[in-house]
Amino acid sequence: MKLSDPVTISQKGDLTIVTIDNPPVNATSQAVRAGLLEAVTRIEAMPEVAAVVLACAGRTFVAGADITELGKPPREPHLPDVIAAIEASRVPWVAAIKGAALGGGLEIALGCHGRVAAPGAKLGLPEVTLGIVPGAGGTVRLPRLIAGADALDMITTGKPVSAEKAMKTGLVDTVAGDDLLDAATERARALAAEGRPAPLLDRDPVAPLSDAEWDAAAERLRKKSRGQVSPLEALAALRDAATLPAREALTKERARFLRLSASDEAAALRHVFFSERRAGASLKAADAAPADLAHVGVIGGGTMGAGIAAALLLSGSRVSLIERDEASCAAAAGRVTGILDGSHKRGLLDDAGLADASGRLETGSDYAALTPCELVIEAVFEDMDVKTEVFARLDAIMAPDAILASNTSYLDVNALAIRTARPERVIGLHFFSPAHVMKLLEVVRTDRVSDRALATAGALAKRLRKTPVVAGVCDGFIGNRIMSAYRRECDFMLEEGALPWQIDAAMRGFGFAMGIYAVQDMAGLDVAWAMRKRRAATRPADERYSRIADRLCEMGRFGRKTDAGWYHYEDGKPVPDPLVEGIILEESERLGIARRDFSEADIVARIMSLMQAEAQAVLDEGIAEGPTDIDVTMILGYGFPRHKGGPMFLAGRV
Ligand code: T1G
């Protein structure tokens, strides 16, 4: 029987199955809420019903509230009321969880009297990742089902847990075998026989934290959240739930949820959520079959090449990794194995997975090993001549429809492409270090790129679980171009009165994980120096140019790898260096600049306006496909704080 469009109820003997069918992720839209409430009302009036199974059509359970509705005045029926009705039902309800039970979806399941999960299901309350807190009882019911520390971790990180972990913590009653509905039906019958368990709201918190534990957790969170407020708000809501009567805590939770839903931070995080999903849309539209990615070639086994190879191996591909000679091959294989071992240690790979992934790697210096591949990714030294030589060799041996990609982070991919016989098959695939971790993949489309090359980039991003952003060809594409611009501006601020550690502190205060000078020291100052030297010949004479970084490099200070760069390093820790300060003061004097004080706000404002100006130029020149792609690039590739939304969001240009 169909109730409101996305909710139906059906009978299975004395059991009722309530099914939600609201593609793509069964979000609790207004219609779903209304349909569920109507289902409860009907079932309450059906004495023949002994128990209810709540199930979902499609690939997932309820993945939360409809995020497109957040930030707007909520429409009735409100989710807390729907859940209260289910919880108060005279018969037991059992949630049959598959795919993802997230946010409001898990809150509905917590309103049910039993929960059964399919293997591989994910259960979580990710609201803090949207700048809010659970708003339908999650902070009150969860700690009345699982231990306080587990609830704290789930809600303040927003990270989902596996069905197996949920079983261990008591979040689900059982993990089903092959047939989820059967297992849920069995559980519902058992509860009907045993009598409906007490609703979670009527139970006491499980293993609640002590005041000292709450304070310590808050301190840890304050440090980790870098200015984002929702994790601390979530902790405060959980503390209410542990110390106040449940229904009072529920009311406070709802008020906190509504207040945060209207906040700038929540608006910023919603913007990022949808911008990430919009990114790379043109790749999906490419009208061609992508290259087969079962066997991919990688040329160059340095830090980037090894990371790319490891990412491919972790995705299930076979990899042929080419290096100059035997010694370089051994070093490259060592780097790749090191990454796989790291994944194994972190439990991302089990023994069999490690053996399987390592077994799919072959290294060598003979390009012939690449001929079976339909995609080859070049990651050799960032020099046009070196790359051109590699592409010429590939052009000569690869199948006509094989895609040739370059991991260059700055160089002109158009120039690289037209030096081959089939420029349309050349594309830029700019990975970020570490390549097996960083989510961003900058796809550089050349002027003559084919749909097959674009489709291949899209398929690769999906396979590697990366977020692809499409960029046109210019110096530094989207990300490096914008970063170069604000790095230049930071160097000018040094000449005018600021210091590197002051600028870094201001950026951390704004929410960046690291400041621009610490990032440069980590990446190595020599790469950018080589690029500046390459450009020196074409730099306009009247263009302002800071020599501070050059002077550091001339002294052999290349950053962490030389234990000295913008900082010097003691036990791996960056320490402000009076020598660097001395050079900066000398440069101000040489330029006749009277140094002035810079507040953190001055520094952040200057960086933002510069970043936004360069971003606008990138957009106006058609290098980026849209302003949201720029925000995604700066957040996923350059540490721009997610909870600020990105430079274009902050500028109100999205
Ligand atoms: N609302 C609206 N649209 C959603 C959505 C949601 N909750 N979740 C996904 N979509 C859209 C998404 O934009 C995309 O659209 C399509 O579905 C497929 O998503 C009261 C208030 C479930 C793990 O934070 O984490 O509940 O691009 O590409 O990779 O306390 O989507 O195709 O047009 O991501 O398979 C809490 C968010 C909400 C979960 C599936 N819930 N979603 O991943 O597919 S707040 C979340 C996800 C809340 C309550 C509060 C993932 C997924 P399009 P996709 P996927």
Side-chain angles (χ1 to χ4, degrees), residues 292-368:
D292 180 348
L293 301 174
H295 181 189
V296 177
V298 177
I299 304 186
T303 308
M304 290 310 294
I308 295 167
L312 287 160
L313 293 167
L314 290 166
S315 79
S317 297
R318 219 179 111 203
V319 174
S320 296
L321 178 55
I322 303 294
E323 259 292 355
R324 284 188 312 278
D325 53 38
E326 216 171 302
S328 314
C329 284
R335 287 189 198 97
V336 176
T337 311
I339 294 170
L340 297 180
D341 287 346
S343 299
H344 182 246
K345 280 202 195 78
R346 284 195 305 283
L348 303 172
L349 268 185
D350 59 18
D351 296 353
L354 178 62
D356 172 48
S358 316
R360 284 184 269 105
L361 173 67
E362 66 170 7
T363 60
S365 49
D366 184 352
Y367 273 52

Side-chain angles (χ1 to χ4, degrees), residues 446-466:
T446 59
D447 298 346
R448 297 171 60 174
V449 71
S450 66
D451 271 358
R452 178 172 160 79
L454 293 171
T456 301
L460 181 73
K462 191 158 190 203
R463 187 182 181 95
L464 301 183
R465 299 171 185 281
K466 304 245 184 241

Side-chain angles (χ1 to χ4, degrees), residues 332-412:
R335 287 189 198 97
V336 176
T337 311
I339 294 170
L340 297 180
D341 287 346
S343 299
H344 182 246
K345 280 202 195 78
R346 284 195 305 283
L348 303 172
L349 268 185
D350 59 18
D351 296 353
L354 178 62
D356 172 48
S358 316
R360 284 184 269 105
L361 173 67
E362 66 170 7
T363 60
S365 49
D366 184 352
Y367 273 52
L370 299 169
T371 50
C373 304
E374 294 190 15
L375 170 65
V376 178
I377 305 173
E378 161 278 313
V380 300
F381 186 64
E382 188 74 350
D383 178 88
M384 197 51 144
D385 298 339
V386 176
K387 290 185 188 289
T388 302
E389 195 258 332
V390 168
F391 273 72
R393 290 179 69 180
L394 289 172
D395 209 24
I397 60 161
M398 297 304 294
D401 64 351
I403 303 300
L404 310 182
S406 172
N407 177 55
T408 178
S409 42
Y410 280 93
L411 298 176
D412 183 342

Side-chain angles (χ1 to χ4, degrees), residues 24-25 27 59 63-68 70 79 100 102-105 107 126-127 129-130 132-136 254 257 273-274 277:
V25 294
R59 63 191 170 100
D66 187 332
I67 299 172
T68 61
L70 297 179
L79 190 56
L102 301 174
E107 289 173 302
E127 281 83 350
T129 66
L130 292 166
I132 54 178
V133 296
R254 186 71 182 173
F257 162 75
F273 178 87
F274 289 114
R277 280 154 184 81

